[in-house]
Amino acid sequence: MNGLEFFMTDSEQRFVTSYLVSGDASKLAAATEMLHYVSALSRQGITPNSKRSKSFYGNTNSMMGSIREVIREGNEARRMEQEGGAGTNSAGVLAEMFVPLAKEKRRNREQMNLELKKQFEYMSKFPLPLRMPKYAELTAHKRGFSLTFRDDTWDGTVLDAFCKISVTKSLLGHVSVKKQHGQSRGIRSIVDVGSSKPNGRGQIDTSRPRVIVASISAEGGQQGIMIGDVVSHINGSQFYGSARGLLEKI
């Protein structure tokens, strides 16, 4: 979870992990939305509160209550970021309040760096796909949207998950899509599991249409969106359709 586990309870970590590895697109979307808000909490150095820490894993109602608490805390953290920490307290009071918080944030950062170092070797052996599930909140303006989209086709292979997709536009307006597959030893070991023969592509399904991100703005880039990302959900609902249909929904 790239260090976010330090800002989650054990039950939340197990719950999110179960959703991330479920293979269900809707559960993946729910997990990435929760991690989006946990990320906002981490920037404030906020650790799980007592209410969330008492959540019991396995109790769906309790777990969903914990998730709602994460979202509430995340919204509050983002509000604090936007306000820039402005206040009317004296400098001495502010120092007294934030020095312990700064120390806690520093300890969390050191723990995260240590964990990331341990994960480096593991990730080289078992690399993650280039396009991981992610959640972003973008604003639609009258002058246009911060992303553009393009119709594409998934070839039904595992190898596609490790494919870098680039979209370019010529001076004459011609748009081209280029796909470059990764070739590391770790990627090959993963793909071969789903291949009927060595050096295959890991065919697991038939080809099907999809919509990818063709260009991004600063707003999208700041939230981690990349060219080549596949659109799976919009406003919480699973999306099936074309790039034109997606723009009409927006």
Side-chain angles (χ1 to χ4, degrees), residues 142-214:
K142 292 183 178 180
R143 61 179 181 275
F145 194 56
S146 56
L147 307 177
T148 63
F149 307 99
R150 183 173 176 81
D151 293 320
D152 188 55
T153 301
W154 174 47
D155 60 8
T157 68
V158 175
L159 186 59
D160 177 81
F162 300 95
C163 172
K164 180 180 180 181
I165 301 177
S166 58
V167 182
T168 58
K169 186 176 183 179
S170 69
L171 295 176
L172 298 178
H174 176 70
V175 178
S176 60
V177 178
K178 181 180 179 181
K179 300 180 180 181
Q180 182 178 357
H181 296 95
Q183 298 295 333
S184 72
R185 183 182 301 178
I187 292 175
R188 177 44 52 194
S189 65
I190 294 174
V191 174
D192 282 346
V193 173
S195 302
S196 58
K197 57 183 180 180
N199 297 320
R201 298 174 62 87
Q203 195 77 37
I204 58 174
D205 206 339
T206 58
S207 298
R208 62 180 65 177
R210 64 185 179 186
V211 175
I212 63 173
V213 176

Side-chain angles (χ1 to χ4, degrees), residues 45-172:
I46 299 175
T47 54
N49 61 30
S50 58
K51 180 179 179 180
R52 285 169 53 198
S53 299
K54 293 178 182 177
S55 294
F56 177 71
Y57 180 71
N59 185 328
T60 303
N61 291 333
S62 178
M63 194 67 248
M64 294 308 295
S66 177
I67 290 174
R68 285 192 290 270
E69 186 68 14
V70 169
I71 293 175
R72 186 197 66 76
E73 291 180 24
N75 285 330
E76 179 66 16
R78 288 198 300 169
R79 183 187 65 78
M80 291 175 62
E81 284 185 332
Q82 292 171 356
E83 292 177 354
T88 59
N89 293 337
S90 67
V93 174
L94 285 174
E96 183 179 348
M97 291 174 58
F98 288 107
V99 166
L101 181 58
K103 290 181 178 179
E104 183 177 359
K105 290 176 71 174
R106 185 162 54 250
R107 287 196 300 270
N108 288 334
R109 191 178 302 111
E110 291 172 353
Q111 287 179 300
M112 286 189 285
N113 289 337
L114 180 61
E115 183 66 23
L116 289 173
K117 185 176 180 180
K118 292 179 179 179
Q119 291 177 357
F120 180 78
E121 182 178 351
Y122 180 86
M123 294 296 293
S124 64
K125 295 180 179 178
F126 306 100
L128 292 172
L130 293 179
R131 295 181 298 282
M132 293 294 291
K134 63 190 67 171
Y135 172 91
E137 295 181 351
L138 302 173
T139 304
H141 302 282
K142 292 183 178 180
R143 61 179 181 275
F145 194 56
S146 56
L147 307 177
T148 63
F149 307 99
R150 183 173 176 81
D151 293 320
D152 188 55
T153 301
W154 174 47
D155 60 8
T157 68
V158 175
L159 186 59
D160 177 81
F162 300 95
C163 172
K164 180 180 180 181
I165 301 177
S166 58
V167 182
T168 58
K169 186 176 183 179
S170 69
L171 295 176
L172 298 178

